[in-house]
């Protein structure tokens, strides 16, 4: 079946460092969403991408919709302690409105 | 979380009982989605509803699970005769018409004893 691969699974970084994570698939998507989830909470939408090649920023976060439409990445620059959490990518197939596939998540730990 | 309201936040049921989870979408949103999350995993799509219509239920187990979004009132995810494997966090999301952004609620955490 279809699979969305998110990596890395976890990252341990020092405050001030940049963070990169990505999602890849063999399927073609028409929308990519990036979420952050804290323990016991719901996912919070960070960035939405709708066009191949699109590069979008939200503060220190930057995400790109891969040109092949099969991948996306998220960068966090100059990490701070509150960046701790699990980040998920979600991709929507062209013929499946509302039906997003989620990656398994990237756990980010920031140490002072 | 942008106004999607879910209740209860926590629900404990014994095997064989019924679980009802409710979701009120954000104001102005007419599309509702239910996703399930197991510990340390990503979310899995269950069902997509609009008012009085099930649009896509391809992620819903064929038995014991049902969902509705009536003309008035919240969307309901109903699990009959719960089993231990139903223990999970169930998240509801909503979106406005024609926009592919999902806004999630805080989730309902079901524990089956």
């Amino acid at each position: 079946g279809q699979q969305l691969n998110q990596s890395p699974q976890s990252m341990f970084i020092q405050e001030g460092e940049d963070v990169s994570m990505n999602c890849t698939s063999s399927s073609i998507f028409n929308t990519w969403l990036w979420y952050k989830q804290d323990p016991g909470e719901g996912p919070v939408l960070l960035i939405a991408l709708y066009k191949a090649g699109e590069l979008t920023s939200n503060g220190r976060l930057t995400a790109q919709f891969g040109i092949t439409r099969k991948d996306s990445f998220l960068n966090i620059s100059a990490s701070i302690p509150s960046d701790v959490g699990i980040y998920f990518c979600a991709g929507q197939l062209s013929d499946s409105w509302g039906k997003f596939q989620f990656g398994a998540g990237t756990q980010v730990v920031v140490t002072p | 979380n942008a106004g999607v309201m879910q209740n209860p936040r926590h629900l404990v049921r014994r095997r064989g009982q019924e679980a009802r989870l409710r979701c009120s979408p954000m104001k102005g949103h007419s599309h509702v989605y239910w996703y399930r999350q197991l510990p340390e995993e990503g979310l899995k799509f269950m069902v997509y509803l609009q008012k009085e219509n099930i649009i896509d239920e391809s992620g819903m187990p064929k038995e014991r699970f049902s969902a509705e979004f009536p003309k008035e009132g919240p969307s309901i995810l109903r699990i009959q005769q719960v089993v231990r494997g139903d223990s999970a966090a169930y998240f509801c999301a909503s979106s406005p018409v024609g926009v592919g952004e999902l806004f999630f609620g805080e989730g309902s955490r079901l524990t089956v004893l």
Side-chain angles (χ1 to χ4, degrees):
Chain A
Q2 294 137 354
Q3 193 170 2
L4 208 160
N5 301 306
Q6 184 171 351
S7 66
Q9 186 175 359
S10 60
M11 303 187 69
F12 293 81
I13 59 171
Q14 285 196 317
E15 187 174 355
E17 289 184 339
D18 296 347
V19 176
S20 282
M21 63 194 78
N22 68 83
C23 283
T24 61
S25 174
S26 57
S27 302
I28 293 175
F29 296 97
N30 66 7
T31 302
W32 283 99
L33 305 177
W34 283 92
Y35 288 89
K36 179 174 183 278
Q37 185 177 27
D38 293 327
E41 305 292 328
V44 175
L45 182 63
L46 300 174
I47 292 180
L49 303 160
Y50 298 106
K51 292 173 57 177
E54 179 182 356
L55 186 71
T56 298
S57 293
N58 178 6
R60 293 178 297 106
L61 278 61
T62 301
Q64 185 161 26
F65 195 138
I67 197 71
T68 66
R69 298 172 62 193
K70 296 180 180 181
D71 59 354
S72 178
F73 74 75
L74 175 71
N75 284 345
I76 307 171
S77 62
S79 59
I80 59 178
S82 62
D83 290 334
V84 166
I86 302 178
Y87 292 78
F88 291 99
C89 63
Q92 177 180 257
L93 295 169
S94 298
D95 59 350
S96 300
W97 181 263
K99 184 178 176 180
F100 281 83
Q101 293 180 21
F102 275 74
T106 295
Q107 182 170 23
V108 173
V109 178
V110 181
T111 57
Chain B
N1 268 328
V4 177
M5 303 299 294
Q6 288 189 248
N7 67 84
R9 289 291 307 274
H10 300 275
L11 183 63
V12 179
R13 285 287 179 266
R14 297 189 180 279
R15 282 178 295 171
Q17 292 184 320
E18 179 179 287
R20 284 195 182 212
L21 311 177
R22 288 174 291 277
C23 169
S24 296
M26 282 183 65
K27 187 176 181 181
H29 289 191
S30 58
H31 299 224
V32 165
Y33 315 82
W34 286 92
Y35 282 74
R36 178 164 63 177
Q37 186 178 35
L38 295 173
E40 299 185 13
E41 292 188 10
L43 283 74
K44 297 285 196 296
F45 170 82
M46 299 181 73
V47 62
Y48 163 30
L49 309 112
Q50 294 179 19
K51 285 283 187 182
E52 299 184 283
N53 283 308
I54 297 175
I55 307 302
D56 184 341
E57 58 181 347
S58 59
M60 195 96 97
K62 291 288 186 284
E63 298 179 351
R64 302 188 298 106
F65 286 71
S66 62
E68 63 175 3
F69 188 16
K71 186 177 181 181
E72 301 290 337
S75 175
I76 306 285
L77 179 67
R78 182 184 180 202
I79 311 172
Q80 295 178 288
Q81 299 174 358
V82 296
V83 300
R84 289 217 173 104
D86 297 333
S87 295
Y90 292 84
F91 288 96
C92 171
S94 71
S95 71
V97 174
V99 177
E101 296 176 4
L102 304 188
F103 295 90
F104 283 89
E106 297 287 340
S108 292
R109 282 150 186 84
L110 173 65
T111 301
V112 179
L113 302 177

